[in-house]
Amino acid sequence: MNPVKVGLLGLGTVGGGTLNVLTRNAQEIARRAGRGIQITHAAAKFYDPAGLLGLDQVEVCDDAFAVVDNPEVEIIIELIGGYSPARELVLKAIENGKHVVTANKALIAMHGNEIFEAAQKQGVTVAFEAGVAGGIPIIKAVREGLAANRIEWIAGIINGTGNFILTEMRDKGRDFDDVLKEAQALGYAEADPTFDVEGIDAAHKLTILASIAFGVPLQFDKTYTEGIGKIERQDVAYAEELGYRIKHLGVTRKTGKGIELRVHPTMIPERRLIANVDGVMNAVLVMGDAVGPTLYYGAGAGAEPTASAVVADVVDIVRALTTDPENRVPHLAFQPGELSDHPILPMEEVQTAYYLRMTVDDKPGVVAAIAGILGDAGISIEAIQQKEPAEGETRVPLVMLSHRVEERQMNQAIEAIEALDAVAGEVMRIRVEQLDG
Ligand code: HSE
């Protein structure tokens, strides 16, 4: 049988990795897929041919729409990224009856509902494993491997760049900007790295995970997003003293009132496996009612780890080319007519415990006043520590851990604490999760 012809859009980090993996492992992949898979056409505005394998077999042009319109091509791999023209290209490929594989989490999180509806009508597949957690097959695990379960919650380190920055800051005391530059040079960061450090990239991925876990439409606009830019080295140190690590987590949990959908720095007990996931590695902890907790770990970014997921999606599509569309795995894990309208919970109604750090006057009555505000707001304190003042300073850092409380109550308490004359500047807050079920 002739090889399946594939059109590749984008020959950057992941595009190059995909070409290399498909070329290097061609025989092994064909034995798995049942047919050879050949990238015959590619589109790229700029690319560096050095180190690319099998490029002589590929017709390269700079017009992605020409590849999408090429009748020889059966599968399009979209690795351009961004919203536009990626959206138009994917919709055009679908209209032309082609299957699509993409690593574009931004596109799926923002336009996935429209894209999957179009794909459903045309009887084609849009696969996006590479969009979430790089090389970890987390989409397949949640959508297929855990299909027996009611998923209760998911918590993940799903941005490699952010985790790399936090790890280097903690282990080597390196400067934020310096580490970010290295992450960019290594090909981990998004084209716009604020997507990484402000949690937008993680929010895209979490949106997708929540949909396939709970069977709800993609709702990126309702995801709460907070970045790692405010984390100071002193917070990292105090967290360690308290037996915690700070990780940039995406958390989604189904409660009776709604679905939590939030990305923020989170303190987690250092004894948890996920607290020890460092560098560019990602990990996703999934709690299913039948299976209990399961943890998935691997490289969250980089050329070949991401290519691993891209190629696996292509193999899945090739294996299913002759099946009826209605017998394929649904895009969002649940049958399209079975998505629920369970609401996304506003952040003010989410409950977590908190780490608070504030700078206060070192004089009698200050701690009592702060404890009084928290008590009046119904917030129970688990631990409180006054730290040594920095040299020449009269004010001291005060660190507290609270029990679980609704975000709205904590917002009100923090506002009242910041209004005290004895408290300087803003209160630093980091949400705390035990991740123990
Ligand atoms: N910029 C992303 C990250 C790439 O650092 O995780 C993989 O999605």
Side-chain angles (χ1 to χ4, degrees):
M1 205 183 275
N2 288 336
V4 178
K5 292 184 176 170
V6 177
L8 177 62
L9 312 183
L11 266 173
T13 304
V14 181
T18 299
L19 182 61
N20 285 355
V21 170
L22 266 174
T23 306
R24 195 174 69 231
N25 297 342
Q27 285 187 358
E28 200 90 342
I29 290 167
R31 285 172 57 212
R32 289 195 170 102
R35 278 177 77 177
I37 297 170
Q38 174 78 50
I39 294 182
T40 52
H41 297 79
K45 294 259 185 253
F46 312 100
Y47 67 99
D48 180 2
L52 293 183
L53 306 175
L55 199 57
D56 53 330
Q57 306 289 314
V58 185
E59 199 178 308
V60 185
C61 68
D62 64 1
D63 181 1
F65 282 95
V67 176
V68 162
D69 285 335
N70 188 315
E72 284 181 41
V73 168
E74 281 186 76
I75 301 171
I76 291 291
I77 303 178
E78 185 278 306
L79 299 174
I80 294 175
Y83 302 122
S84 184
R87 173 177 163 272
E88 292 77 10
L89 285 163
V90 166
L91 289 172
K92 188 71 181 154
I94 292 168
E95 190 188 317
N96 290 344
K98 300 183 197 308
H99 302 278
V100 176
V101 173
T102 180
N104 192 336
K105 53 266 162 155
L107 178 72
I108 296 299
M110 284 287 281
H111 300 295
N113 297 323
E114 175 194 19
I115 287 170
F116 296 143
E117 196 185 331
Q120 185 73 19
K121 280 195 187 128
Q122 283 287 3
V124 297
T125 296
V126 176
F128 50 92
E129 180 69 73
V132 182
I136 306 173
I138 188 65
I139 300 297
K140 203 172 192 63
V142 176
R143 194 166 59 183
E144 298 171 48
L146 301 181
N149 289 261
R150 262 189 298 111
I151 305 295
E152 294 174 359
W153 53 263
I154 296 178
I157 296 170
I158 45 180
N159 182 266
T161 303
N163 202 43
F164 181 67
I165 292 171
L166 286 177
T167 304
E168 291 288 303
M169 281 173 74
R170 187 193 73 216
D171 291 354
K172 301 180 189 155
R174 288 179 64 192
D175 180 61
F176 188 102
D177 293 329
D178 171 43
V179 190
L180 175 58
K181 279 198 191 102
E182 188 182 341
Q184 288 177 284
L186 289 166
Y188 301 157
E190 296 302 297
D192 177 354
T194 58
F195 274 45
D196 296 294
V197 299
E198 289 178 4
I200 300 163
D201 176 74
H204 287 143
K205 295 165 178 167
L206 188 71
T207 301
I208 297 170
L209 285 175
S211 285
I212 62 167
F214 306 126
V216 292
L218 296 147
Q219 295 167 79
F220 171 69
D221 56 329
K222 295 189 184 143
T223 308
Y224 174 81
T225 306
E226 194 180 301
I228 54 175
K230 283 190 184 165
I231 303 287
E232 294 184 22
R233 290 198 53 217
Q234 55 179 326
D235 298 311
V236 175
Y238 297 152
E240 300 242 2
E241 285 172 26
L242 291 161
Y244 288 85
R245 292 264 166 89
I246 301 172
K247 291 291 177 188
H248 200 196
L249 285 194
V251 180
T252 183
R253 175 184 277 114
K254 190 171 182 186
T255 74
K257 285 165 67 185
I259 292 168
E260 298 177 10
L261 202 47
R262 49 193 170 97
V263 173
H264 49 70
T266 312
M267 272 175 45
I268 50 180
E270 68 187 357
R271 62 184 181 280
R272 300 266 176 267
L273 279 175
I274 194 169
N276 295 282
V277 170
D278 289 332
V280 74
M281 303 309 273
N282 279 194
V284 185
L285 184 54
V286 183
M287 180 65 78
D289 72 325
V291 72
T294 55
L295 180 65
Y296 308 84
Y297 169 83
E304 293 214 355
T306 312
S308 167
V310 169
V311 174
D313 271 349
V314 176
V315 169
D316 264 0
I317 287 173
V318 171
R319 282 173 173 156
L321 277 175
T322 53
T323 59
D324 293 333
E326 58 272 21
N327 292 335
R328 296 183 192 139
V329 180
H331 290 108
L332 289 177
F334 292 70
Q335 297 298 332
E338 296 292 333
L339 295 188
S340 101
D341 57 3
H342 202 54
I344 305 300
L345 204 60
M347 195 59 194
E348 288 224 308
E349 293 178 36
V350 168
Q351 282 195 8
T352 64
Y354 286 85
Y355 156 97
L356 303 178
R357 174 180 55 78
M358 57 204 87
T359 306
V360 302
D361 290 343
D362 189 10
K363 64 183 189 194
V366 174
V367 172
I370 293 166
I373 289 172
L374 292 169
D376 289 346
I379 300 169
S380 171
I381 299 169
E382 183 182 309
I384 183 163
Q385 288 181 2
Q386 183 173 313
K387 303 290 179 186
E388 287 298 311
E391 211 173 299
E393 270 286 340
T394 52
R395 289 174 167 150
V396 291
L398 190 67
V399 169
M400 307 175 113
L401 283 183
S402 83
H403 286 285
R404 289 174 73 81
V405 58
E406 223 175 63
E407 178 109 354
R408 176 183 289 117
Q409 283 165 276
M410 185 51 90
N411 288 344
Q412 287 165 0
I414 287 176
E415 201 178 315
I417 291 170
E418 286 175 346
L420 293 174
D421 288 340
V423 175
E426 289 183 1
V427 173
M428 173 69 183
R429 84 167 78 187
I430 301 175
R431 297 170 188 87
V432 182
E433 291 285 357
Q434 295 301 323
L435 302 183
D436 57 357

